[in-house]
Amino acid sequence: MPASAYLRNAVADHIFRDANFPKPSEIYVALWTPIGEVSGFGYVRLQHNPGNANWERNSDGTVTNAIDLIFPDPVGGPWG
């Protein structure tokens, strides 16, 4: 997926200019099916904030969660 214009500009300004590129204070993780994000039946995104204890950068540049993310069980029906 290509970077958004905002991300490209923010990284360029951070590296080449005087601007800092602040990281978000909160990150939310979502569950997806082939047709879109899960919804209903008690589904909520999980908050998993920035930090070395929460995320690992792999040698290929991808990022994965460093600890298990446990979503609650569906309530009253399936998530898909």
Side-chain angles (χ1 to χ4, degrees):
M1 174 186 308
S4 68
Y6 168 79
L7 179 60
R8 287 191 312 268
N9 291 338
V11 170
D13 287 346
H14 176 76
I15 293 171
F16 297 105
R17 298 171 47 96
D18 293 331
N20 287 321
F21 184 58
K23 66 176 127 188
S25 60
E26 299 174 345
I27 296 174
Y28 290 86
V29 178
L31 292 176
W32 286 73
T33 68
I35 59 171
E37 185 177 359
V38 170
S39 65
F41 303 111
Y43 168 74
V44 294
R45 294 176 180 173
L46 291 183
Q47 186 174 350
H48 196 61
N49 293 338
N52 292 345
N54 290 335
W55 300 98
E56 294 177 348
R57 185 182 46 79
N58 304 307
S59 60
D60 65 358
T62 60
V63 176
T64 56
N65 50 296
I67 59 175
D68 290 340
L69 300 176
I70 306 204
F71 285 85
D73 291 330
V75 177
W79 282 343

